[in-house]
Amino acid sequence: PLTLPEYLDFVTPGDAYLKDIVRRVGVTDNSERDAQALLDAVTNSFTYSRDIPSNYVKRPVQMLVDGADDCEGFAVFYQSLLAARGIDSVLIHISGAQMSKPVAHMLVGVAGDFGREGGTKFFLDADGKKYYTAETTTRGARIGVLSPEYLGKIFDVITAGSKVIVAMPVAA
């Protein structure tokens, strides 16, 4: 099985196909708007599958070809797009044991100020930065909106330096 920091080995922001997606989605002077547009592109363009073999992580280009992946693949793909756009982000891991499920879940934390929009938004504090949660497997997901099943759970935040920080989501 992969260690949590090893998932970062699959993040490929320099990939020409990913840079093209970022360009097509559009780059503005507002990184929060761009981060949401990239999340919309991911959640509306691919099929979420819970049936991908355990501990097999696809590179983003493989997800482009297959058109489907599990939560780890979606998170790695989205984080790759964010990095290609120059937006700071982290991978977030929630163990299955906490959710009384046989498998874990992975999502992305996006740096920025997403708490300005209406409604309650959730973020994790890691290394002095606020990373707002982004559920990559749900169509129409909004950055900062967290499924109730994850509230009160402990998250492992995997930073760019392969550091794993334990954190709980906080309402903005």
Side-chain angles (χ1 to χ4, degrees):
L2 293 173
T3 65
L4 293 179
E6 287 175 321
Y7 281 97
L8 295 175
D9 295 340
F10 293 86
V11 175
T12 56
D15 185 284
Y17 292 109
L18 298 181
K19 287 181 176 183
D20 187 54
I21 291 170
V22 170
R23 186 184 53 75
R24 289 173 188 251
V25 169
V27 176
T28 69
D29 60 353
N30 184 315
S31 62
E32 285 89 359
R33 184 176 21 228
D34 291 355
Q36 184 62 55
L38 290 169
L39 180 61
D40 293 341
V42 170
T43 61
N44 292 324
S45 301
F46 299 98
T47 302
Y48 172 58
S49 174
R50 295 172 196 234
D51 300 325
I52 304 298
S54 179
N55 293 318
Y56 176 76
V57 180
K58 294 179 187 175
R59 298 220 177 260
V61 71
Q62 291 172 286
M63 187 168 154
L64 280 173
V65 171
D66 294 346
D69 210 342
D70 58 14
C71 62
E72 289 92 351
F74 268 73
V76 164
F77 188 87
Y78 181 54
Q79 188 178 31
S80 295
L81 290 175
L82 291 170
R85 166 55 182 80
I87 298 171
D88 187 18
S89 63
V90 293
L91 290 175
I92 299 171
H93 176 266
I94 310 165
S95 75
Q98 289 189 80
M99 298 181 292
S100 300
K101 295 181 180 180
V103 294
H105 189 58
M106 190 168 280
L107 48 145
V108 175
V110 185
D113 187 9
F114 297 93
R116 294 176 289 173
E117 297 176 15
T120 302
K121 303 292 173 83
F122 290 90
F123 68 89
L124 300 158
D125 187 351
D127 282 343
K129 292 183 184 177
K130 289 183 180 179
Y131 291 97
Y132 285 82
T133 59
E135 174 55 75
T136 57
T137 61
T138 304
R139 290 188 191 277
R142 306 299 300 166
I143 295 173
V145 176
L146 189 62
S147 173
E149 71 181 306
Y150 305 131
L151 295 177
K153 305 296 186 241
I154 297 171
F155 293 12
D156 293 314
V157 180
I158 308 145
T159 67
S162 296
K163 186 165 130 185
V164 178
I165 299 168
V166 177
M168 288 186 72
V170 177

